[in-house]
Amino acid sequence: MKVMHLLPSLASGGVEQVVLELCEALQNGGDESIVVSAGGRMVPDIEATGARHVTMPIGKKSIKTLLQIRKLRKLILAEKPDVVNIHSRVPAWVGHRAISGIPRSQRPKVVSTFHGYYSVNFYSAIMTKGDKIIAVSDFIRQHICEAYPKTDMSKVVVIPNSVDTAYHYPEYRPSDAWYEAWYKQFPEVKGKYVICLPARVTRHKGAAHLEPILLGLKKRGIPAHALIVGETKKGKEALRQELTESYAKAGLTQDVTWTGLRRDIRDVMMASNVILSLNLVPEAFGKTTLEALALGRPTAGYQAGGVGEQLDTLLPAGKVPTGDTDKMVEILADWYQNPPTPKLPLGAPYRRQDMTDAYIRVYRELCQP
């Protein structure tokens, strides 16, 4: 069986990680994977699995991207994949246009993975096309049902994203050398009640809510310190400056640390007392939250979307109504004295093999006569 994955790029992120894990599982099972994207830092990782990468800019929101339709059609005709798995909206438009120009007898089966809580419009509706639709959470399945009522829901399969329990497990501990380097770089966090927000700097990730949360904890005499662990992408510098100035006006300059993008996020979470998810827009899944829970870390989050589903299963006490910073303060203040433990070990459907096995079952079923 040959599977072709279409996605915008291989820079970094949850979608890219899912594709990497699928490639590894397919290759290990004797199948073949081809990834088509504009490329990025994860290309060597993809190729290390034995999969092939074809560089093609199919993800940019530009009229010029339509020029890739013919190139992609030619690639599909040459490679003859059994299944094309589409992982994003612009590649979906390019992919469907490319495949529609192929004689029906030669067309591959099409799987569309709904990785995000996309805006409801004609542009996003392309993700409901195909032979199978994979929803990454029950929340996303319900979103598809409500937003696109003409969708044949028998085609929708829920396959949650996952974590590698050989990498994220509660007994894991960073090395002494790592801790030494960490506290040398960020001495201000030592001895504090460290609240970690692993998130890029965007408005909907909720970094502004750290301000009332920190103030509330400090009023209770708790030595709270916030870590914002994530990159500030181009175009978001003004937002970071706005947040920095707001923290300063609240007297919190010394209580917030911006780490930027970290490749050692597992170690950072282990060095933190609490992991937060403050998404104001529901997360389709929320993989970082699941990683924190799998490590056994106390984790609290706004309850909408996939994050709420995970907390329902693994740590119900961490669910907070979206935007309710007072409730969040109340929970974190209690956890300062009585830190909770998630329900572990992590079980189905959240383990990596659960996810890859479920995808491969979908692929094989589609390939049957």
Side-chain angles (χ1 to χ4, degrees), residues 5 11 20 41 48 75 77 91 110-112 122 155 159 164 189 193 219 233 246 254 257 267 273 324 332 342 355:
H5 297 277
L20 175 63
R41 68 182 73 155
L75 179 67
L77 285 167
V110 178
V111 174
S112 179
F122 177 73
K155 294 183 177 182
I159 304 179
D164 183 353
V189 304
Y193 184 52
K219 284 180 182 177
K233 288 192 172 182
S246 183
Q254 305 304 315
T257 294
D267 298 302
N273 298 95
D324 191 343
L332 298 186
M355 181 193 75

Side-chain angles (χ1 to χ4, degrees), residues 308-319:
E309 289 179 24
Q310 295 168 32
L311 290 169
D312 262 336
T313 302
L314 301 170
L315 190 58
K319 286 179 62 177

